[in-house]
Amino acid sequence: PYPMMLLLGKFMVIGIGGVFASTNALDHGKGYEQNFEIVRKWSYVKRAVYFVVPGLTEVGYEMFASMAYMEDLESSGVNAAIICTYPLAVSIFFYWYMDEKFT
């Protein structure tokens, strides 16, 4: 009944989980600690853009996907299937471009 409230709840849970995961990684990960220090040296504006823009992109995606599902219920399954392939496309790109390995 309140899709925006559900989205807000989802992002709050993701944010809280991210804080706990980041704290745990700082305690146990040498590479993460080094990268954290690099980001810490950035200006406030650069850090805000680095963290806020992906979040706003995710919020926009969720809002528009939710509106599209409400408008055209028949096509919602196809749309969801296409959207769910995004991580696969990104992982293949970074495997090829940055030589990242799957773990």
Side-chain angles (χ1 to χ4, degrees):
Y2 301 103
M4 295 305 159
M5 293 300 289
L6 292 173
L7 287 175
L8 178 63
K10 174 187 173 185
F11 292 117
M12 288 178 63
V13 168
I14 290 172
I16 292 168
V19 168
F20 285 118
S22 179
T23 304
N24 185 41
L26 275 174
D27 291 340
H28 298 96
K30 183 72 171 161
Y32 186 83
E33 188 176 326
Q34 291 169 345
N35 290 335
F36 189 82
E37 287 302 320
I38 291 170
V39 172
R40 181 179 268 168
K41 293 176 185 175
W42 290 352
S43 70
Y44 180 76
V45 173
K46 187 174 181 180
R47 278 188 283 170
V49 169
Y50 184 75
F51 293 110
V52 171
V53 169
L56 290 176
T57 303
E58 179 74 17
V59 169
Y61 144 73
E62 290 281 349
M63 284 178 25
F64 289 118
S66 179
M67 290 185 323
Y69 294 157
M70 286 188 266
E71 286 293 317
D72 189 7
L73 193 55
E74 280 183 20
S75 299
S76 64
V78 175
N79 291 337
I82 292 169
I83 291 168
C84 290
T85 61
Y86 175 74
L88 179 61
V90 170
S91 61
I92 290 170
F93 171 77
F94 280 103
Y95 178 80
W96 169 76
Y97 182 71
M98 298 291 290
D99 200 29
E100 288 191 3
K101 302 295 182 221
F102 296 108
T103 57

